mmCIF file of all heavy atoms in Angstrom:
data_model
loop_
_atom_site.group_PDB
_atom_site.id
_atom_site.type_symbol
_atom_site.label_atom_id
_atom_site.label_comp_id
_atom_site.label_asym_id
_atom_site.label_seq_id
_atom_site.Cartn_x
_atom_site.Cartn_y
_atom_site.Cartn_z
ATOM 1 N N GLU E 1350 -19.274 6.716 -16.799
ATOM 2 C CA GLU E 1350 -19.370 6.768 -15.334
ATOM 3 C C GLU E 1350 -18.304 5.870 -14.700
ATOM 4 O O GLU E 1350 -17.623 6.270 -13.752
ATOM 5 C CB GLU E 1350 -20.764 6.321 -14.899
ATOM 6 C CG GLU E 1350 -20.989 6.369 -13.412
ATOM 7 C CD GLU E 1350 -22.391 5.914 -13.009
ATOM 8 O OE1 GLU E 1350 -23.271 5.788 -13.871
ATOM 9 O OE2 GLU E 1350 -22.577 5.687 -11.806
ATOM 10 N N LEU E 1351 -18.143 4.679 -15.227
ATOM 11 C CA LEU E 1351 -17.143 3.760 -14.695
ATOM 12 C C LEU E 1351 -15.733 4.289 -14.912
ATOM 13 O O LEU E 1351 -14.922 4.309 -13.991
ATOM 14 C CB LEU E 1351 -17.276 2.388 -15.349
ATOM 15 C CG LEU E 1351 -16.174 1.392 -14.993
ATOM 16 C CD1 LEU E 1351 -16.202 1.057 -13.515
ATOM 17 C CD2 LEU E 1351 -16.298 0.150 -15.835
ATOM 18 N N ALA E 1352 -15.442 4.731 -16.131
ATOM 19 C CA ALA E 1352 -14.106 5.239 -16.431
ATOM 20 C C ALA E 1352 -13.787 6.470 -15.583
ATOM 21 O O ALA E 1352 -12.661 6.626 -15.095
ATOM 22 C CB ALA E 1352 -13.982 5.560 -17.917
ATOM 23 N N THR E 1353 -14.774 7.323 -15.376
ATOM 24 C CA THR E 1353 -14.577 8.509 -14.551
ATOM 25 C C THR E 1353 -14.323 8.129 -13.093
ATOM 26 O O THR E 1353 -13.447 8.704 -12.434
ATOM 27 C CB THR E 1353 -15.797 9.447 -14.670
ATOM 28 O OG1 THR E 1353 -15.963 9.819 -16.045
ATOM 29 C CG2 THR E 1353 -15.624 10.702 -13.837
ATOM 30 N N ALA E 1354 -15.071 7.149 -12.594
ATOM 31 C CA ALA E 1354 -14.856 6.683 -11.215
ATOM 32 C C ALA E 1354 -13.454 6.083 -11.070
ATOM 33 O O ALA E 1354 -12.772 6.313 -10.067
ATOM 34 C CB ALA E 1354 -15.915 5.654 -10.833
ATOM 35 N N ALA E 1355 -13.032 5.343 -12.075
ATOM 36 C CA ALA E 1355 -11.689 4.754 -12.038
ATOM 37 C C ALA E 1355 -10.623 5.845 -12.063
ATOM 38 O O ALA E 1355 -9.632 5.770 -11.336
ATOM 39 C CB ALA E 1355 -11.505 3.801 -13.211
ATOM 40 N N GLN E 1356 -10.840 6.861 -12.892
ATOM 41 C CA GLN E 1356 -9.898 7.987 -12.941
ATOM 42 C C GLN E 1356 -9.823 8.671 -11.581
ATOM 43 O O GLN E 1356 -8.731 9.046 -11.125
ATOM 44 C CB GLN E 1356 -10.330 9.003 -13.993
ATOM 45 C CG GLN E 1356 -10.177 8.531 -15.415
ATOM 46 C CD GLN E 1356 -10.830 9.503 -16.375
ATOM 47 O OE1 GLN E 1356 -10.492 10.669 -16.399
ATOM 48 N NE2 GLN E 1356 -11.771 9.017 -17.171
ATOM 49 N N ALA E 1357 -10.967 8.835 -10.941
ATOM 50 C CA ALA E 1357 -10.981 9.487 -9.629
ATOM 51 C C ALA E 1357 -10.201 8.655 -8.609
ATOM 52 O O ALA E 1357 -9.433 9.203 -7.808
ATOM 53 C CB ALA E 1357 -12.420 9.704 -9.158
ATOM 54 N N GLY E 1358 -10.372 7.347 -8.634
ATOM 55 C CA GLY E 1358 -9.629 6.482 -7.727
ATOM 56 C C GLY E 1358 -8.128 6.561 -7.965
ATOM 57 O O GLY E 1358 -7.336 6.694 -7.033
ATOM 58 N N MET E 1359 -7.743 6.508 -9.230
ATOM 59 C CA MET E 1359 -6.323 6.629 -9.574
ATOM 60 C C MET E 1359 -5.816 8.026 -9.213
ATOM 61 O O MET E 1359 -4.678 8.192 -8.793
ATOM 62 C CB MET E 1359 -6.094 6.374 -11.063
ATOM 63 C CG MET E 1359 -6.213 4.934 -11.491
ATOM 64 S SD MET E 1359 -4.837 3.929 -10.926
ATOM 65 C CE MET E 1359 -5.644 3.017 -9.641
ATOM 66 N N GLY E 1360 -6.685 9.015 -9.363
ATOM 67 C CA GLY E 1360 -6.309 10.387 -9.013
ATOM 68 C C GLY E 1360 -6.016 10.531 -7.524
ATOM 69 O O GLY E 1360 -5.098 11.251 -7.137
ATOM 70 N N GLN E 1361 -6.793 9.837 -6.699
ATOM 71 C CA GLN E 1361 -6.538 9.876 -5.257
ATOM 72 C C GLN E 1361 -5.176 9.274 -4.938
ATOM 73 O O GLN E 1361 -4.424 9.814 -4.124
ATOM 74 C CB GLN E 1361 -7.621 9.122 -4.497
ATOM 75 C CG GLN E 1361 -8.948 9.832 -4.472
ATOM 76 C CD GLN E 1361 -10.014 9.016 -3.750
ATOM 77 O OE1 GLN E 1361 -9.917 7.803 -3.613
ATOM 78 N NE2 GLN E 1361 -11.041 9.701 -3.289
ATOM 79 N N VAL E 1362 -4.865 8.166 -5.578
ATOM 80 C CA VAL E 1362 -3.563 7.528 -5.366
ATOM 81 C C VAL E 1362 -2.451 8.444 -5.859
ATOM 82 O O VAL E 1362 -1.452 8.661 -5.177
ATOM 83 C CB VAL E 1362 -3.503 6.158 -6.069
ATOM 84 C CG1 VAL E 1362 -2.096 5.587 -6.038
ATOM 85 C CG2 VAL E 1362 -4.490 5.195 -5.421
ATOM 86 N N ARG E 1363 -2.643 9.024 -7.036
ATOM 87 C CA ARG E 1363 -1.638 9.911 -7.611
ATOM 88 C C ARG E 1363 -1.385 11.108 -6.691
ATOM 89 O O ARG E 1363 -0.252 11.504 -6.457
ATOM 90 C CB ARG E 1363 -2.080 10.397 -8.990
ATOM 91 C CG ARG E 1363 -0.996 11.199 -9.678
ATOM 92 C CD ARG E 1363 -1.577 12.320 -10.527
ATOM 93 N NE ARG E 1363 -0.515 13.033 -11.192
ATOM 94 C CZ ARG E 1363 0.201 14.005 -10.622
ATOM 95 N NH1 ARG E 1363 -0.031 14.381 -9.382
ATOM 96 N NH2 ARG E 1363 1.162 14.617 -11.283
ATOM 97 N N THR E 1364 -2.460 11.689 -6.182
ATOM 98 C CA THR E 1364 -2.337 12.843 -5.292
ATOM 99 C C THR E 1364 -1.572 12.474 -4.028
ATOM 100 O O THR E 1364 -0.689 13.226 -3.590
ATOM 101 C CB THR E 1364 -3.730 13.402 -4.944
ATOM 102 O OG1 THR E 1364 -4.350 13.853 -6.163
ATOM 103 C CG2 THR E 1364 -3.646 14.543 -3.957
ATOM 104 N N LEU E 1365 -1.897 11.331 -3.455
ATOM 105 C CA LEU E 1365 -1.195 10.876 -2.260
ATOM 106 C C LEU E 1365 0.301 10.723 -2.533
ATOM 107 O O LEU E 1365 1.139 11.209 -1.773
ATOM 108 C CB LEU E 1365 -1.784 9.548 -1.776
ATOM 109 C CG LEU E 1365 -1.114 8.902 -0.576
ATOM 110 C CD1 LEU E 1365 -1.233 9.781 0.667
ATOM 111 C CD2 LEU E 1365 -1.718 7.526 -0.324
ATOM 112 N N LEU E 1366 0.641 10.104 -3.640
ATOM 113 C CA LEU E 1366 2.046 9.906 -3.994
ATOM 114 C C LEU E 1366 2.740 11.234 -4.291
ATOM 115 O O LEU E 1366 3.853 11.483 -3.820
ATOM 116 C CB LEU E 1366 2.162 8.969 -5.199
ATOM 117 C CG LEU E 1366 1.658 7.540 -4.993
ATOM 118 C CD1 LEU E 1366 1.600 6.805 -6.323
ATOM 119 C CD2 LEU E 1366 2.504 6.797 -3.981
ATOM 120 N N ALA E 1367 2.097 12.091 -5.073
ATOM 121 C CA ALA E 1367 2.700 13.371 -5.450
ATOM 122 C C ALA E 1367 2.872 14.286 -4.238
ATOM 123 O O ALA E 1367 3.903 14.967 -4.108
ATOM 124 C CB ALA E 1367 1.859 14.058 -6.518
ATOM 125 N N ASP E 1368 1.873 14.301 -3.354
ATOM 126 C CA ASP E 1368 1.987 15.123 -2.147
ATOM 127 C C ASP E 1368 3.138 14.649 -1.263
ATOM 128 O O ASP E 1368 3.887 15.459 -0.710
ATOM 129 C CB ASP E 1368 0.678 15.109 -1.349
ATOM 130 C CG ASP E 1368 -0.434 15.909 -2.008
ATOM 131 O OD1 ASP E 1368 -0.176 16.604 -3.011
ATOM 132 O OD2 ASP E 1368 -1.583 15.818 -1.514
ATOM 133 N N THR E 1369 3.270 13.343 -1.150
ATOM 134 C CA THR E 1369 4.367 12.804 -0.347
ATOM 135 C C THR E 1369 5.708 13.139 -0.980
ATOM 136 O O THR E 1369 6.649 13.540 -0.287
ATOM 137 C CB THR E 1369 4.212 11.281 -0.174
ATOM 138 O OG1 THR E 1369 2.944 11.014 0.432
ATOM 139 C CG2 THR E 1369 5.326 10.705 0.689
ATOM 140 N N LYS E 1370 5.802 13.006 -2.290
ATOM 141 C CA LYS E 1370 7.045 13.342 -2.995
ATOM 142 C C LYS E 1370 7.397 14.812 -2.759
ATOM 143 O O LYS E 1370 8.554 15.150 -2.492
ATOM 144 C CB LYS E 1370 6.931 13.058 -4.489
ATOM 145 C CG LYS E 1370 8.211 13.365 -5.249
ATOM 146 C CD LYS E 1370 8.058 13.081 -6.716
ATOM 147 C CE LYS E 1370 9.287 13.352 -7.549
ATOM 148 N NZ LYS E 1370 10.275 14.285 -7.092
ATOM 149 N N SER E 1371 6.417 15.680 -2.839
ATOM 150 C CA SER E 1371 6.646 17.101 -2.623
ATOM 151 C C SER E 1371 7.175 17.362 -1.204
ATOM 152 O O SER E 1371 8.110 18.138 -1.016
ATOM 153 C CB SER E 1371 5.348 17.879 -2.852
ATOM 154 O OG SER E 1371 5.526 19.233 -2.590
ATOM 155 N N LYS E 1372 6.581 16.705 -0.225
ATOM 156 C CA LYS E 1372 7.044 16.865 1.156
ATOM 157 C C LYS E 1372 8.459 16.331 1.322
ATOM 158 O O LYS E 1372 9.276 16.943 2.018
ATOM 159 C CB LYS E 1372 6.096 16.156 2.124
ATOM 160 C CG LYS E 1372 4.771 16.858 2.296
ATOM 161 C CD LYS E 1372 3.861 16.090 3.222
ATOM 162 C CE LYS E 1372 2.499 16.762 3.312
ATOM 163 N NZ LYS E 1372 1.571 16.005 4.165
ATOM 164 N N LEU E 1373 8.735 15.197 0.688
ATOM 165 C CA LEU E 1373 10.090 14.642 0.761
ATOM 166 C C LEU E 1373 11.099 15.599 0.139
ATOM 167 O O LEU E 1373 12.161 15.853 0.705
ATOM 168 C CB LEU E 1373 10.169 13.301 0.032
ATOM 169 C CG LEU E 1373 9.575 12.091 0.731
ATOM 170 C CD1 LEU E 1373 9.563 10.906 -0.217
ATOM 171 C CD2 LEU E 1373 10.352 11.759 1.984
ATOM 172 N N ASP E 1374 10.756 16.108 -1.031
ATOM 173 C CA ASP E 1374 11.680 16.990 -1.755
ATOM 174 C C ASP E 1374 11.971 18.276 -0.991
ATOM 175 O O ASP E 1374 13.064 18.831 -1.101
ATOM 176 C CB ASP E 1374 11.134 17.306 -3.148
ATOM 177 C CG ASP E 1374 11.126 16.092 -4.059
ATOM 178 O OD1 ASP E 1374 11.790 15.082 -3.735
ATOM 179 O OD2 ASP E 1374 10.439 16.150 -5.105
#
Side-chain angles (χ1 to χ4, degrees):
E1350 181 180 347
L1351 173 64
T1353 301
Q1356 290 171 57
M1359 287 288 106
Q1361 288 178 338
V1362 171
R1363 186 214 182 277
T1364 298
L1365 177 63
L1366 296 170
D1368 288 352
T1369 302
K1370 181 180 180 336
S1371 177
K1372 288 178 184 178
L1373 284 172
D1374 292 345

